[in-house]
């Protein structure tokens, strides 16, 4: 394989939602701790997250939503981060991740991104005219030595990984809650199929493990077979 082995690792509701609503004000990391019946078992997800790959893929939009553009410089972690971003991260946000990361690789189509103003040894930039996750993953392996990558992005980008057949494993923690809302982000969003001719774009899974966690949480681990 000429790209990293990828695992989609996410927390979702029973109805597949990865947020508590349709606006950026609402977020499971901030909101689940406020809800009785959810907060009691939520820590298990974060404990499992600590055991994921040492390369993590996310988006600038998600990280800006979490406030990284305003946060103080954090301590160094053992994790390397790959961030897909065109305009959500500021120069301060990029410096935040340079401080936090072993390596930071920014994937962008914006030749004027603030990251180009940052001179840090552990910062790499993959500049593309048009987004190609497949090409970005190939370069992550060949240029930066990324062998395994955990994907924790939003539903739209997760949909790109799905449609381009770039997912190898799916590792999901299911919270005991129904969120609802047709505009609430789900595990995989993006472009819907419109004909049976596109059925090959589905992601068929083989269950490898099903674990019942405390507080009615579940962990489902799948291998992508097609």
């Amino acid at each position: 394989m000429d790209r990293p082995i990828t695992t989609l690792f996410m927390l979702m509701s029973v109805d597949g939602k990865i947020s508590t609503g349709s606006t950026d004000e609402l977020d499971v990391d901030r909101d689940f701790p406020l809800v009785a019946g959810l907060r009691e078992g939520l820590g298990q997800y974060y404990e499992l997250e600590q055991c994921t790959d040492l390369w993590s893929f996310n988006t600038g939009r998600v990280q800006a939503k979490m406030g990284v553009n305003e946060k103080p410089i954090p301590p160094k972690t053992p994790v390397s981060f790959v961030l897909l971003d065109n305009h959500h991260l500021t120069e301060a946000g990029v410096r935040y991740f340079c401080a936090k990361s072993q390596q930071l690789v920014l994937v962008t189509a914006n030749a004027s991104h603030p990251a180009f103003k940052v001179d840090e040894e552990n910062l790499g930039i993959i500049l593309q005219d048009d987004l190609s996750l497949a090409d970005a993953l190939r370069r992550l392996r060949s240029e930066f030595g990324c062998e395994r990558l955990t994907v924790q992005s939003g539903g739209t980008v997760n949909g790109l990984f799905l449609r381009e057949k770039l997912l190898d494993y799916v590792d999901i923690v299911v919270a005991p809650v129904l969120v609802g809302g047709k505009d609430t982000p789900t595990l995989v969003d993006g472009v819907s199929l419109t004909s049976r001719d596109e059925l090959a774009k589905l992601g068929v899974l083989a269950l490898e493990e099903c674990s019942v966690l405390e507080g009615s949480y579940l962990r489902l681990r799948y291998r992508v077979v097609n």
Side-chain angles (χ1 to χ4, degrees), residues 110-181:
N110 180 7
S112 300
H113 194 281
F116 287 101
K117 299 178 182 178
V118 177
D119 183 16
E120 296 287 349
E121 290 185 356
N122 66 337
L123 172 63
I125 301 176
I126 296 176
L127 179 62
Q128 300 180 321
D129 292 331
D130 297 296
L131 174 64
S132 169
L133 284 177
D135 177 68
L137 292 184
R138 284 191 291 268
R139 292 182 62 181
L140 276 174
R141 178 163 183 172
S142 64
E143 297 177 23
F144 300 96
C146 176
E147 298 288 337
R148 301 187 70 95
L149 179 68
T150 294
V151 178
Q152 293 180 285
S153 55
T156 299
V157 176
N158 291 347
L160 295 177
F161 274 91
L162 169 68
R163 297 302 186 218
E164 295 184 32
K165 298 296 182 180
L166 297 174
L167 292 175
D168 301 299
Y169 295 92
V170 177
D171 190 351
I172 301 299
V173 175
V174 183
V177 63
L178 296 170
V179 174

Side-chain angles (χ1 to χ4, degrees), residues 5-189:
I5 296 171
T6 59
T7 299
L8 178 63
F9 178 76
M10 299 287 289
L11 172 67
M12 74 176 192
S13 66
V14 172
D15 55 336
K17 307 298 185 182
I18 59 172
S19 181
T20 49
S22 61
T23 69
D24 283 351
E25 291 182 12
L26 297 168
D27 180 83
V28 294
D29 291 306
R30 293 193 293 262
D31 298 339
F32 278 9
L34 305 177
V35 181
L38 294 180
R39 58 175 170 253
E40 291 81 2
L42 183 59
Q44 299 167 106
Y45 168 74
Y46 298 111
E47 291 172 1
L48 292 170
E49 188 178 40
Q50 296 301 310
C51 301
T52 56
D53 300 312
L54 289 177
W55 280 85
S56 177
F57 181 98
N58 212 300
T59 66
R61 182 178 185 273
V62 170
Q63 293 305 315
K65 178 180 174 181
M66 298 303 295
V68 300
N69 291 328
E70 295 80 34
K71 287 184 177 180
I73 294 298
K76 182 74 70 177
T77 72
V79 180
S80 294
F81 289 90
V82 182
L83 296 179
L84 175 65
D85 184 65
N86 284 332
H87 56 81
H88 290 93
L89 291 177
T90 64
E91 183 177 338
V94 175
R95 292 188 184 279
Y96 173 94
F97 268 100
C98 285
K100 183 176 182 177
S101 309
Q102 292 297 313
Q103 293 187 73
L104 170 62
V105 180
L106 180 81
V107 180
T108 186
N110 180 7
S112 300
H113 194 281
F116 287 101
K117 299 178 182 178
V118 177
D119 183 16
E120 296 287 349
E121 290 185 356
N122 66 337
L123 172 63
I125 301 176
I126 296 176
L127 179 62
Q128 300 180 321
D129 292 331
D130 297 296
L131 174 64
S132 169
L133 284 177
D135 177 68
L137 292 184
R138 284 191 291 268
R139 292 182 62 181
L140 276 174
R141 178 163 183 172
S142 64
E143 297 177 23
F144 300 96
C146 176
E147 298 288 337
R148 301 187 70 95
L149 179 68
T150 294
V151 178
Q152 293 180 285
S153 55
T156 299
V157 176
N158 291 347
L160 295 177
F161 274 91
L162 169 68
R163 297 302 186 218
E164 295 184 32
K165 298 296 182 180
L166 297 174
L167 292 175
D168 301 299
Y169 295 92
V170 177
D171 190 351
I172 301 299
V173 175
V174 183
V177 63
L178 296 170
V179 174
K182 66 177 183 179
D183 297 321
T184 303
T186 68
L187 181 69
V188 181
D189 291 323

